[in-house]
Amino acid sequence: MTKLLHISASPRGPRSESLAIATTFLGTARDTDPGLTIEEYDLWDGTLPAFGPDAAAAKMAVFAGEQPQGTAAGAWNAAIETFRRFDAADRYLFSVPMWNAGIPYILKQFIDVVSQPGMVFGFDPTAGYTGLLKGKRAAVIYTSAVYGPGRGPGFGSDFQAPYLEDWLRWAGVDDIRTIHFRPNLATADAEEGRRLAHAQARDLAKVF
């Protein structure tokens, strides 16, 4: 049975454009494949563990071939549980608004928590990193209020899509599909962009 995990970095609210598009995507996915299992992971729900000094110490201990101890061991166990929830899915749908040209900090926190040796990546001193997430597929919904392709530097830069997609590929996820609704506020034709984004979500969900 195929499992799709919707990872949302968009706070819920009436102006959550990425969540609205995700709702269209997920509804179409359910209709297309009634046997599909869908799990929602709201990164803002308070269950995502912190990634601080204890977690960093645990990661470095494992990198050195050691077992985390004390409070670092607790942080390591929390990272393992988060990774298992992530790894249990075959497909991912990310809802990602642009914050200050990049991704929301809560999504960076998620990436820091699950990006652990032996889980998301392997490492060889000669060959470097190897992504361990094999056979996965990802769809990403990108939104931004002001930034848009072809706009001048006064409208911002895109460190959102390059960062997330580079991380996905680094982790071993090469099959990445994207939906863009950018800009969705500082534009005269937001409604047309919105219509196209929802149409893309429906089309992609049918073949995802």
Side-chain angles (χ1 to χ4, degrees), residues 6-26 40-44 93-97 141 143 198:
H6 174 215
I7 302 170
S8 176
S10 181
R12 296 190 179 277
R15 300 194 66 86
S16 294
E17 298 280 11
S18 60
L19 283 182
I21 299 168
T23 298
T24 295
F25 183 104
L26 295 172
E40 296 277 357
Y41 191 172
D42 180 0
L43 297 181
W44 300 100
L93 173 65
F94 290 85
S95 298
V96 186
I141 299 167
T143 58
H198 282 269

Side-chain angles (χ1 to χ4, degrees), residues 51 53-66 68 76 116-117 121 129:
F51 191 88
D54 288 335
K59 182 174 187 173
M60 292 301 100
V62 172
F63 236 128
E66 302 169 358
W76 183 248
Q116 304 297 345
F121 69 90
Y129 291 106

Side-chain angles (χ1 to χ4, degrees), residues 15 17 145 181 183-197:
R15 300 194 66 86
E17 298 280 11
F181 180 21
N184 58 47
L185 184 61
T187 178
D189 58 350
E191 193 53 44
E192 176 63 11
R194 183 176 293 109
R195 185 191 66 78
L196 289 172

Side-chain angles (χ1 to χ4, degrees), residues 118-199:
M119 298 184 207
V120 161
F121 69 90
F123 181 77
D124 178 85
T126 302
Y129 291 106
T130 301
L132 300 180
L133 297 181
K134 301 301 182 183
K136 310 285 190 181
R137 186 182 301 172
V140 187
I141 299 167
Y142 295 110
T143 58
S144 60
V146 175
Y147 169 80
R151 290 189 153 195
F155 292 90
S157 301
D158 182 13
F159 298 103
Q160 176 196 37
Y163 175 81
L164 183 58
E165 291 173 32
D166 183 74
W167 174 73
L168 284 167
R169 292 188 180 94
W170 172 80
V173 182
D174 294 317
D175 190 341
I176 305 169
R177 325 286 180 88
T178 61
I179 300 165
H180 298 261
F181 180 21
R182 311 191 294 185
N184 58 47
L185 184 61
T187 178
D189 58 350
E191 193 53 44
E192 176 63 11
R194 183 176 293 109
R195 185 191 66 78
L196 289 172
H198 282 269

